[in-house]
Amino acid sequence: MKLIFAIVSNDDSSKVSKELTKNRFSVTKLATTGGFLMAGNTTFIIGTEDERVDEAIEIIGKHSKKRTQMVPSSASYGVGMYTSFPVEVQVGGATIFVMNVERFEKL
């Protein structure tokens, strides 16, 4: 048995959740916040059989697309002088961790 942690953008969360559930994966969703952009994410916790891991990853990848977004940034131009300008960054996609499960019980 494996435990999958998948971190996806809130923009993709509902599509990913819907497809995982439709394909009979048991999913727990957690609201999380990314450290770089301080933007909302959803972390999915999925317990599944070893042979279904690739299927889950394929579903997550298919429904969590990377895209670019302009975000404010600041730069220093001397002592005490700051200005804000937009920077293009890549957002979306998924970060996935797969771990072995030593023991599983559903009570």
Side-chain angles (χ1 to χ4, degrees):
M1 176 159 240
K2 301 288 186 191
L3 184 63
I4 302 170
F5 286 92
I7 305 162
V8 302
S9 168
N10 278 348
D11 295 339
D12 301 322
S13 173
S14 61
K15 290 182 277 183
V16 171
S17 180
K18 179 181 173 183
E19 287 301 313
L20 286 169
T21 304
K22 182 175 156 182
N23 285 277
R24 299 197 170 289
F25 285 97
S26 296
V27 179
T28 298
K29 291 173 36 173
L30 301 174
T32 53
T33 303
F36 177 62
L37 297 175
M38 300 305 288
N41 293 322
T42 299
T43 300
F44 292 96
I45 303 173
I46 307 157
T48 190
E49 298 81 13
D50 292 19
E51 59 273 3
R52 294 197 69 203
V53 169
D54 289 336
E55 180 185 355
I57 291 173
E58 184 178 323
I59 290 167
I60 295 163
K62 183 177 179 183
H63 297 284
S64 52
K65 300 297 178 192
K66 289 185 180 181
R67 52 199 163 273
T68 57
Q69 178 178 329
M70 300 299 282
V71 296
S73 179
S74 61
S76 173
Y77 290 107
V79 180
M81 295 179 63
Y82 292 91
T83 185
S84 181
F85 58 93
V87 175
E88 189 174 79
V89 295
Q90 193 171 60
V91 296
T95 302
I96 301 171
F97 301 91
V98 180
M99 291 165 267
N100 290 321
V101 174
E102 217 174 284
R103 182 175 170 174
F104 168 75
E105 291 185 33
K106 192 166 187 175
L107 305 174

